[in-house]
Amino acid sequence: EPVRIKDKEGAKEMPPIQGKVEFKDVTFSYEEGVEILKKVNFTAEKGQTVAIVGPTGAGKTTFIKLLLRLYDVTAGEILVNGYSIYDFRREDYFRLFAPVFQDVVLFAFPFAQNVSMDTPEETDKEKARECLIAAGLGEKLDSLEKGIDTELLKILYPDGVDLSGGEKQKLALARALYKGAPIMVLDEPTAALDALAEYELYQNFDKIIGDKSAIYISHRLSSTRF
């Protein structure tokens, strides 16, 4: 049975918070006695870009899942602007983050809705288009007859379009940009990109991130030099 993480009794609505994230002596175990992370201390200031680098199995993804509150810590605490993240409702806390993961799921929606992840009525097509261009999918959009209205996948429409692995990761970045959360979390975002696309992402990274905080995960130190 999966573990259902629930809000603690009396969890409050989170006020508008941007900025400092802290891990204080955070320890995490998937099973008793096997510590994946042990007394980790970490601080990211508002607007700062931080790289977390380590080999496969070092605990980087576990670190991210704790930060995003997909797991609860075994010991220690995680703070945002000095407040324990467990004092607030998870639904509110999730609004702080725009994550970009390696595994990207497409839906049988038009391109615009695959970016907004919202209803057609609530989707800002122009904003979605701008985010796709910023993420490096401008040429892809220009090559499609219906552009931003192109259906993805062939589940509902025989002329639906699928995306390559690299294009999916760019779509994930566009989703994060569209969400506009104050903290972006990028977990190996260039894993499926070719060398040129990776270089272009690095060159445009500051422009893409803007004044947001960014936590960048990689197993290659060379990928974090920028």
Side-chain angles (χ1 to χ4, degrees):
E1 284 294 314
V3 177
R4 303 298 182 188
I5 302 175
K6 298 179 180 179
D7 290 336
K8 74 177 187 180
E9 188 174 345
K12 298 173 289 187
E13 181 178 353
M14 178 172 262
I17 288 179
Q18 297 186 18
K20 190 173 183 179
V21 176
E22 297 175 85
F23 277 45
K24 287 193 171 182
D25 289 332
V26 168
T27 295
F28 179 78
S29 301
Y30 287 102
E31 54 184 287
E32 191 172 349
V34 182
E35 293 176 336
I36 306 301
L37 298 176
K38 184 176 182 179
K39 292 190 175 181
V40 172
N41 289 281
F42 165 85
T43 302
E45 301 289 347
K46 178 182 178 182
Q48 186 177 13
T49 298
V50 179
I52 307 295
V53 187
T56 300
K60 302 185 300 298
T61 296
T62 299
F63 174 93
I64 288 303
K65 289 182 177 178
L66 289 170
L67 173 66
L68 296 178
R69 206 173 164 188
L70 302 178
Y71 296 157
D72 281 347
V73 301
T74 303
E77 60 181 344
I78 302 174
L79 307 174
V80 174
N81 278 27
Y83 298 97
S84 169
I85 66 173
Y86 302 111
D87 288 342
F88 302 105
R89 297 191 309 225
R90 292 175 77 226
E91 184 178 349
D92 294 334
Y93 182 72
F94 289 161
R95 296 192 183 102
L96 282 177
F97 298 93
V100 180
F101 295 116
Q102 291 182 54
D103 298 323
V104 183
V105 176
L106 300 183
F107 296 90
F109 304 150
F111 229 134
Q113 280 181 262
N114 263 279
V115 175
S116 71
M117 298 306 299
D118 210 334
T119 63
E121 296 77 20
E122 296 297 323
T123 295
D124 183 335
K125 288 186 181 181
E126 183 56 30
K127 181 180 177 181
R129 190 181 70 82
E130 291 172 356
C131 291
L132 287 165
I133 292 172
L137 284 171
E139 288 187 12
K140 181 70 174 183
L141 279 181
D142 290 342
S143 71
L144 300 171
E145 184 179 344
K146 296 181 181 178
I148 198 75
D149 295 313
T150 301
E151 294 285 345
L152 295 188
L153 305 179
K154 298 183 184 298
I155 296 172
L156 298 178
Y157 298 89
D159 61 346
V161 173
D162 203 350
L163 300 180
S164 68
E167 288 169 342
K168 288 178 182 178
Q169 286 200 306
K170 291 177 181 179
L171 173 64
L173 181 57
R175 286 174 177 167
L177 294 174
Y178 187 96
K179 184 176 181 181
I183 304 173
M184 292 191 69
V185 178
L186 301 101
D187 188 4
E188 303 274 10
T190 63
L193 301 183
D194 59 40
L196 180 59
E198 183 181 55
Y199 175 77
E200 289 175 349
L201 173 64
Y202 296 159
Q203 290 295 102
N204 295 322
F205 191 81
D206 288 341
K207 181 179 178 182
I208 290 171
I209 297 300
D211 60 355
K212 299 178 178 63
S213 302
I215 299 174
Y216 186 97
I217 307 300
S218 179
H219 69 279
R220 294 183 299 178
L221 188 59
S222 61
S223 294
T224 62
R225 287 180 180 173
F226 69 99

